[in-house]
Amino acid sequence: MSLSASARRDPRGLYVGLLGQFVVEVDGAPLRLRGDKRRTVLATLLLRAGHTVPADHLIARVWGAPAGQVNRSALQVHVARVRAIFDDHCGRPLIHGGDGGYRADLEEGESDLLCFRALVAAAGEADSRGDPVRHADLLLRALRLWRSPVLADIASPVLHERDVPPLHEELLRVAEAGCRAALARGDHARAAEHIGPIVADHPERESLIRLQMVALHRSGRPSEALRLYARTRDVLAERLGTDPGRDLQETFHAILRGDLDVDPDRPARVPRQRAEPALTTAPALRPAAPTPLPSATPAELPAAPAVLVGRGAHLAELDRLADPAGPAPGNVLVRGPAGAGSSALALVWAHAVAPHFPDGQVYVNLRRDDGTPRDPTEVLRRLVRSLSGGRNDTEDLSVDESAARARSLLARRRVLMVLDNAASTRQVRPLLPGCPECAAVVTSRYWLTDLLVRDGVRALPVGALPAADAVVLLRSLLREDRCTEAALRRVAHLAGYLPLPLRMAVAWLDTHPSLSGSDLVRRLEGVDPARCGTPTARMAAVLHAGPEEVRHGRGEVPTGRVPPDPSLGDGSFVRLSPG
């Protein structure tokens, strides 16, 4: 049976909008209804069109109190005025009294709610006839009638507490059915488009979110599916104190592994709840999957440099080695000399791929402020606190116990770890994740060959920039008239074409506005190479020399406090000096 013409909206006559803000139109023109109480009476009657609503029921919605003689009389006045308005504009009685209450009579095409239900009924008939195309099409057409939260502009707490939630549940379950039907016929992009706004308004509805993730994945948008999972996980943790349920987690991991659709010759299976109820019953409650330890979602990445010049090939190689979109991303050592920008490269890449690691991004600086390496026990305890929401019960744990606790917290999660400034394999090995879904990027001045040989960590060497890129970096950070081209090239050469001393040169020029690039070149050339043997150390000596003009060319750092106390203090100089 095809859908009757009465279920299609006619611009002539009466039309009532309930699936969003409350709207009443006559012949396409809005009908103004004044007064919150009067609007609540009419909305309550129209929600149950064709059924008698008891007077006590209406009084509770309008006044939020038990019925009494005063509000019964007031209710009769409100109903009489609403009835008169519709008698005048529609030419027929709309509201009828009797059996201790009132009833509003509407045709199917006169209400978006009645149209919605007519379309859903017609979709069910199409499904029973074996017509999946029409079944999906009618359900998605019905969903288009749902505009926003139901009756959001009706001021009645009792109405929103008792009448609206069942209707919301009806709408949500039709949304799920429509999405399944569209996915079953391969209309993935349309399914994602139709339920996207509904998912945004109902971030705790795991069954609907699971279907939206599938639709996004099959539409070629897996990163959006992963970000949706991350947002849902955060909402559930914040509002309910729980993790996503097992079905949602399984869908997430299947997208990561790339095996959500195993057999391309068969219709792809949509994840379903194990006991799926009919559209007319409430969904069964099921407990969330247990987790062995409390967990948190860290987002610890420091800010990355705004400008990263000449490292496009290195970023592409990091993508290849770590494979952030793959089911089992790898661990990578980014190795470069002091000043090569290994840390900046790792952070820029980590920020770019963070959506592929929705369970968190952890950053650990393995070097203290004084330049000495941090002890693995100290770092592991901090890592456990990051992954467990700040729990501070790790003080008595050994290195092995802390490492085991960290691996437990990382299990079945997808976390990116940036381990910066590593000095030895001993520091790094206990921190490497034990599950294949996680990834670690280690930066170091050293090769850490034991990690490469025994732990399968891949290596990405980072060195000086090409000369042209070094000049481009300087030019991008300086005013056009700040330095001549010849001076730029000479500064780049004296900086060893390394990003850190190049940025230090920019800092010197910024803090000496009355001096030129040629002045900087003269100071750099005057540094004693025997005392400052690397470009980074040479640049640090000039930057830190203050008013004493680099101690007469010897390149020494003053022992006392130097105004204006530059950010590269003595400890920083110690860290920057080794080659």
Side-chain angles (χ1 to χ4, degrees):
M1 182 179 87
S2 61
L3 186 63
S4 66
S6 61
R8 303 184 181 93
R9 178 174 180 175
D10 190 332
R12 297 167 299 175
L14 175 67
Y15 187 80
V16 173
L18 300 168
L19 302 182
Q21 289 198 339
F22 186 37
V23 176
V24 178
E25 296 178 359
V26 177
D27 295 331
L31 186 64
R32 295 190 179 278
L33 300 168
R34 302 181 185 279
D36 287 342
K37 291 183 173 59
R38 198 167 303 164
R39 287 165 55 83
T40 299
V41 168
L42 183 58
T44 304
L45 290 172
L46 294 173
L47 273 178
R48 303 184 65 179
H51 302 273
T52 297
V53 181
D56 291 354
H57 186 111
L58 287 167
I59 290 169
R61 270 68 181 165
V62 175
W63 285 276
Q69 185 56 45
V70 173
N71 48 30
R72 283 185 185 276
S73 299
L75 175 64
Q76 291 173 356
V77 172
H78 286 303
V79 170
R81 289 179 177 173
V82 170
R83 178 186 289 163
I85 290 172
F86 282 98
D87 288 349
D88 291 342
H89 287 83
C90 297
R92 79 171 202 265
L94 178 72
I95 299 175
H96 307 272
D99 298 329
Y102 300 92
R103 184 186 76 252
D105 288 332
L106 293 174
E107 301 293 334
E108 275 185 359
E110 293 179 334
S111 161
D112 57 359
L113 177 57
L114 296 180
C115 287
F116 174 88
R117 288 171 172 162
L119 287 164
V120 172
E125 294 180 6
D127 188 38
S128 65
R129 295 195 311 271
D131 188 349
V133 173
R134 183 163 174 77
H135 174 232
D137 195 53
L138 289 171
L139 288 177
L140 295 181
R141 282 175 55 194
L143 286 178
R144 283 201 294 268
L145 296 172
W146 186 8
R147 293 167 283 120
S148 62
V150 171
L151 297 175
D153 57 338
I154 294 297
S156 171
V158 176
L159 180 79
H160 288 287
E161 178 184 337
R162 300 182 188 177
D163 300 331
V164 171
L167 179 53
H168 266 148
E169 181 63 27
E170 178 184 350
L171 294 165
L172 286 168
R173 296 183 56 204
V174 170
E176 292 169 359
C179 186
R180 288 193 190 95
L183 291 173
R185 57 176 282 193
D187 206 348
H188 312 312
R190 190 177 176 209
E193 175 190 354
H194 274 72
I195 68 169
I198 302 173
V199 166
D201 289 338
H202 298 83
E204 300 170 12
R205 184 80 173 194
E206 291 191 47
S207 52
L208 188 63
I209 288 163
R210 190 173 67 250
L211 291 166
Q212 175 72 337
M213 288 175 64
V214 175
L216 290 169
H217 169 69
R218 294 183 185 170
S219 302
R221 298 150 66 185
S223 295
E224 292 182 45
L226 297 178
R227 285 195 293 270
L228 175 59
Y229 176 85
R231 290 196 299 271
T232 303
R233 182 206 55 225
D234 291 344
V235 167
L236 293 174
E238 179 181 351
R239 299 185 185 179
L240 304 178
T242 64
D243 287 332
R246 181 166 55 187
D247 288 344
L248 193 58
Q249 291 187 33
E250 288 176 355
T251 302
F252 165 67
H253 288 288
I255 291 174
L256 289 175
R257 292 191 304 267
D259 62 359
L260 184 65
D261 308 321
V262 178
D263 186 353
D265 296 327
R266 293 187 303 174
R269 182 181 66 87
V270 180
R272 302 170 70 98
Q273 292 180 340
R274 284 163 176 75
E276 177 153 355
L279 281 176
T280 54
T281 61
L285 296 177
R286 76 185 147 73
T291 52
L293 288 169
S295 61
T297 305
E300 300 178 351
L301 296 178
V307 178
L308 189 72
V309 174
R311 297 303 190 197
H314 294 82
L315 291 172
E317 184 65 3
L318 255 180
D319 274 340
R320 187 186 72 83
L321 294 175
D323 191 15
N331 301 323
V332 180
L333 168 67
V334 181
R335 185 269 169 191
S342 301
S343 298
L345 173 67
L347 285 174
V348 168
W349 180 84
H351 278 284
V353 303
H356 293 288
F357 297 91
D359 292 315
Q361 305 87 43
V362 173
Y363 174 85
V364 180
N365 189 348
L366 297 176
R367 187 168 57 198
R368 295 191 180 94
D369 289 341
D370 62 2
T372 59
R374 296 186 188 276
D375 185 83
T377 304
E378 171 193 355
V379 177
L380 278 166
R381 289 171 179 167
R382 178 207 177 286
L383 178 60
V384 170
R385 287 195 296 271
S386 292
L387 294 170
S388 60
R391 285 169 56 97
N392 199 19
D393 57 354
T394 60
E395 296 304 319
D396 296 330
L397 298 180
S398 67
V399 172
D400 290 342
E401 290 170 332
S402 296
R405 175 76 65 86
R407 287 193 293 270
S408 296
L409 288 165
L410 289 169
R412 293 183 62 82
R413 301 172 73 186
R414 190 170 176 94
V415 175
L416 173 63
M417 302 173 65
V418 178
L419 308 176
D420 203 8
N421 297 313
S424 66
T425 298
R426 173 179 171 272
Q427 268 190 309
V428 176
R429 179 168 287 132
L431 304 175
L432 293 178
C435 58
E437 294 89 355
C438 296
V441 175
V442 184
T443 73
S444 180
R445 298 178 188 175
Y446 314 104
W447 277 110
L448 307 182
T449 52
D450 205 31
L451 284 181
L452 309 182
V453 174
R454 293 181 53 191
D455 298 279
V457 176
R458 309 293 298 277
L460 174 63
V462 178
L465 294 170
D469 286 335
V471 173
V472 168
L473 176 58
L474 285 173
R475 192 181 293 116
S476 70
L477 298 173
L478 292 170
R479 294 196 322 266
E480 187 174 347
D481 59 348
R482 188 69 180 88
C483 208
T484 66
E485 191 69 22
L488 284 177
R489 289 197 296 270
R490 185 59 182 161
V491 169
H493 174 75
L494 292 170
Y497 308 113
L498 295 170
L500 180 58
L502 289 169
R503 291 177 181 275
M504 294 164 69
V506 172
W508 188 92
L509 289 166
D510 286 345
T511 55
H512 296 76
S514 62
L515 299 179
S516 68
S518 299
D519 295 318
L520 174 59
V521 169
R522 283 194 294 272
R523 282 159 174 73
L524 288 171
E525 290 175 340
V527 174
D528 185 357
R531 301 182 67 87
C532 299
T534 69
T536 302
R538 184 184 305 119
M539 195 68 69
V542 172
L543 186 62
H544 204 171
E548 299 187 45
E549 298 296 328
V550 200
R551 292 293 183 89
H552 308 291
R554 289 180 291 153
E556 297 175 9
V557 177
T559 56
R561 189 175 180 85
V562 180
D565 188 26
S567 59
L568 284 173
D570 292 344
S572 297
F573 177 69
V574 170
R575 295 197 301 275
L576 294 173
S577 297

